[in-house]
Amino acid sequence: MAQFQRPTLCCCRKVLTVPSKSCEGGQGLGQCRLVDIASASNFHCFKLRHFHLDLRLNFAVKEITGWQVLELVAIQPGVQTLVLDTHPSLLIQSIDCKVPGTTGAQDISPSLIYRVDPFTDYGSSLNISLPAYVIRPHRAFQITVRYTTTDGPAIWWLDAELTCGQTRPLVFTQGHSVCNRSFFPCFDTPAVKSTYTATVRVPEGVTVLMSASRSAYSKQDRVFQFSMEYPVPAYLVALVAGDLQHVDIGPRSRVWAEPCVLTCAVSKLGGSVERWLNVAEDLFGPYVWGRYDIVFLPPSFPIVAMENPCLTFIISSILESREFLLIDVIHEIAHGWFGNAVTNATWEEMWLSEGLATYAQRRITTEAYGEAFTCLETVFRLDALHRQMRLLGDNNPVSKLQVKFEPGINPSSLMNLFTYEKGFCFVSYLSQLCGNVKRFDSFLRAYIEQFKFSSVVAQDLLDFFLCFFPELKESCVAQREGLEFERWLNACGPPLCEPDLSAGGVLTGPVQRLCDLWASEPPDPEAIANFNLSSWSTFQTVLFLDRLLDRSPLSHEVMGQLSRCYSAQLDEMNAEVRIRWLQIVVRNSFYPDLPRIRGFLHKHTSRMYTVPLYEDLCSGVMKCFAAEVFYQTQARLHPNLRRTLQQILFQTSALSTPTGSVPSLLHPTPSSPSPTPRDQLGPADPPTTGTIALRDVNVSA
């Protein structure tokens, strides 16, 4: 599509004119490649103005029925077919067409002719034949699709036994990256944004929430009404319904959860959310979404957190660790600017969302908690990035920031640490080029103002950066040898450079010194006794354990000494700490601590804790023990997770990608009904010995 010019006023500068490839409603895509959507063939022929969902939830049969009304405008004449993304789990009943404001035969057409064609293993193509009178440029028309959908990859039905309170069933949706085509027919690409409204009918006693800026409820009719007044892509439309209650924690924030979780969630967050929002606004400009609410979901939620606008979804398991909770919530807040307000136009450049959000998250934590804390968290994540790099090799194409998908590849396979941490390093490098972090803050504020509510490609960001800092453009920083922007985007391997993290030395130094003591032959018990893990922060402790894990295999004598020093102490710590110690136990076949693994897996039923332990157990000599624990606990596991663990145990093709084994981008792989790395939808080969731990790459959305 042709580029278009868009002026913006940069802080204390004249008005700049920036060639933009950004897209609004599917226009202005420039060189954006969209191989993951069936609707790519003609979505640029239409502008989606708005859509409405009218849904009824039936928990008894685990089914959503209703209809969708899409308000469209034809941009190009002569197009006779509308193509939408859908999924085999979504059953179309009828499709009608209406042209508002007309009369007679053109007001409402008979049922339209349509067909559903195969597209990929993660979706189908809905081809709708349009009446000739509809295709008039710039005239609006409405398509009504009546449908039923059940258990596609976007929709997660939880029986009461799988919820936290175990009293009522619950359902939630998870749309990222290309799952919402099983929730409603759509242009399932981040390149297309629109407003939406929804009407949801539910049984008595069920509360419904959606990622919407306004809501209302009719108790008499048991009907919830929602309205999202700002344009969003399809993947950010989310719903949850169940036994949910709330407590206000700030002037624009409330916490939602099942009653048994609510008090803990409120106590852990307190008044922090409003503080974080204020810091973010000082850095990046006004928070445009109005509300920032959080709903805590049961352990079956397949990822850590999801940045649905106005309503962050987050797994309740994370409440055990205040520091991980803090980072995850702040990361989702950052998405309010980077990812939600300004969105990557294609999943091939997901770093535009995740890399920028990670940078913004760390700017917020630096302002709120100091540079040392931020550097510690960054060191922990970059350690994990280099661990993944060692596993995958320097030439793996998944390590590029601009990954080229072949048709049939599920975009969710891109969810890995490169998207976050290599993207963060590139953004940090851009900040360093400015010479002053505050100047870069000003640039990011202007970037958000320039591209707000649109979708962009990397060239938009970089062109705007060079226009905002003309002195950098004149000095040709984009072509600086060894650090060329093009090389950042398209070279495989680790980041070309990393930010200075020496300010975290006061926190990371003791960790490294203790690691070195344990690496000495033999370890010095007296020197080791001078370090008290109970006085450390969670991030210090997990960094220490991760680095011990990197040194595996350890001798049985060292494992015995480690267990005597730390096992009982670690038992009292949160799950983020305990799982790392248990992975050390498994990878070193330290049988005396096996009862701790059994107890952990009986208590924790979330994907982010079970999958890494089962992968390690099955890649070593403890497979029989793993099978025994699985049969004892399988009734409390979500069916999707149960199938994944069965695949790990019995070494057949896995239903979801172990986060360490990234599927090839060159060959399509079948998709799964359960979400992928992040941990979300992502098909892959069965785990093998040496698979990286899920905890190494378990990052928030």
Side-chain angles (χ1 to χ4, degrees), residues 146-164:
R146 300 181 184 276
Y147 70 95
T148 298
T149 188
T150 52
D151 60 349
I155 303 172
W156 291 65
W157 297 94
L158 305 187
D159 294 329
E161 299 77 29
L162 295 180
T163 65
C164 297

Side-chain angles (χ1 to χ4, degrees), residues 297-365:
L297 297 177
S300 293
F301 187 55
I303 61 177
V304 180
M306 180 64 202
E307 68 273 14
N308 302 309
C310 307
L311 183 67
T312 286
F313 285 18
I314 191 164
I315 193 168
S316 57
S317 309
I318 207 69
L319 286 167
E320 283 198 28
S321 170
R322 181 181 176 277
E323 289 177 40
F324 277 83
L325 173 66
L326 176 155
I327 291 297
D328 291 330
V329 173
I330 292 177
H331 184 85
E332 305 315 315
I333 286 175
H335 271 307
W337 287 262
F338 306 98
N340 293 2
V342 181
T343 309
N344 45 285
T346 166
W347 293 122
E348 293 183 333
E349 295 186 326
M350 204 181 302
W351 74 273
L352 286 169
S353 170
E354 298 301 349
L356 279 161
T358 302
Y359 178 88
Q361 160 211 312
R362 289 173 181 156
R363 284 292 294 122
I364 296 169
T365 58

Side-chain angles (χ1 to χ4, degrees), residues 672-691:
S672 147
S674 60
T676 79
R678 198 159 128 154
D679 171 31
Q680 282 194 71
L681 287 159
D685 296 330
T688 58
T689 302
T691 294

Side-chain angles (χ1 to χ4, degrees), residues 223-266:
V223 172
F224 289 80
Q225 303 276 357
F226 300 95
S227 174
M228 170 52 81
E229 58 193 307
Y230 309 106
V232 296
Y235 80 91
L236 290 178
V237 177
L239 175 150
V240 58
D243 182 16
L244 300 170
Q245 297 180 6
H246 75 271
V247 170
D248 289 338
I249 57 170
R252 49 184 163 175
S253 301
R254 62 182 41 158
V255 168
W256 291 89
E258 294 178 70
C260 61
V261 175
L262 187 59
T263 300
C264 175
V266 172

Side-chain angles (χ1 to χ4, degrees), residues 100-408:
T102 61
T103 58
Q106 292 186 358
D107 186 33
I108 299 179
S109 75
S111 293
L112 299 181
I113 297 173
Y114 67 91
R115 72 177 191 275
V116 178
D117 294 334
F119 175 62
T120 65
D121 290 320
Y122 57 84
S124 305
S125 170
L126 174 59
N127 301 269
I128 305 169
S129 297
L130 299 174
Y133 69 84
V134 169
I135 310 303
R136 296 183 185 176
H138 312 299
R139 186 173 73 171
F141 64 98
Q142 294 177 347
I143 296 292
T144 300
V145 183
R146 300 181 184 276
Y147 70 95
T148 298
T149 188
T150 52
D151 60 349
I155 303 172
W156 291 65
W157 297 94
L158 305 187
D159 294 329
E161 299 77 29
L162 295 180
T163 65
C164 297
Q166 300 187 349
T167 57
R168 291 178 179 269
L170 183 142
V171 64
F172 63 83
T173 66
Q174 170 59 21
H176 195 288
S177 304
V178 288
C179 297
N180 264 357
R181 61 189 70 188
S182 68
F183 182 17
F184 53 89
C186 57
F187 297 116
D188 200 0
T189 167
V192 175
K193 294 185 173 186
S194 75
T195 57
Y196 81 89
T197 51
T199 300
V200 185
R201 296 169 171 81
V202 292
E204 187 174 358
V206 174
T207 297
V208 184
L209 308 174
M210 289 192 75
S211 54
S213 51
R214 300 178 186 275
S215 63
Y217 172 57
S218 169
K219 185 174 183 179
Q220 180 178 351
D221 300 322
R222 299 198 301 276
V223 172
F224 289 80
Q225 303 276 357
F226 300 95
S227 174
M228 170 52 81
E229 58 193 307
Y230 309 106
V232 296
Y235 80 91
L236 290 178
V237 177
L239 175 150
V240 58
D243 182 16
L244 300 170
Q245 297 180 6
H246 75 271
V247 170
D248 289 338
I249 57 170
R252 49 184 163 175
S253 301
R254 62 182 41 158
V255 168
W256 291 89
E258 294 178 70
C260 61
V261 175
L262 187 59
T263 300
C264 175
V266 172
S267 67
K268 289 295 179 70
L269 289 172
S272 299
V273 171
E274 183 62 24
R275 177 190 177 198
W276 299 332
L277 284 168
N278 288 333
V279 172
E281 287 187 311
D282 289 342
L283 292 171
F284 312 121
Y287 178 74
V288 298
W289 303 98
R291 303 273 325 158
Y292 182 79
D293 296 340
I294 303 171
V295 57
F296 284 89
L297 297 177
S300 293
F301 187 55
I303 61 177
V304 180
M306 180 64 202
E307 68 273 14
N308 302 309
C310 307
L311 183 67
T312 286
F313 285 18
I314 191 164
I315 193 168
S316 57
S317 309
I318 207 69
L319 286 167
E320 283 198 28
S321 170
R322 181 181 176 277
E323 289 177 40
F324 277 83
L325 173 66
L326 176 155
I327 291 297
D328 291 330
V329 173
I330 292 177
H331 184 85
E332 305 315 315
I333 286 175
H335 271 307
W337 287 262
F338 306 98
N340 293 2
V342 181
T343 309
N344 45 285
T346 166
W347 293 122
E348 293 183 333
E349 295 186 326
M350 204 181 302
W351 74 273
L352 286 169
S353 170
E354 298 301 349
L356 279 161
T358 302
Y359 178 88
Q361 160 211 312
R362 289 173 181 156
R363 284 292 294 122
I364 296 169
T365 58
T366 298
E367 295 296 314
Y369 298 101
E371 192 174 4
F373 173 82
T374 299
C375 288
L376 169 64
E377 184 266 335
T378 306
V379 167
F380 161 69
R381 296 293 191 194
L382 289 178
D383 262 21
L385 177 71
H386 291 292
R387 196 172 299 122
Q388 191 174 44
M389 195 75 256
R390 290 193 296 272
L391 176 69
L392 297 176
D394 287 343
N395 296 317
N396 195 304
V398 78
S399 62
K400 295 181 180 181
L401 291 183
Q402 283 186 333
V403 179
K404 296 296 185 284
F405 288 123
E406 295 301 320

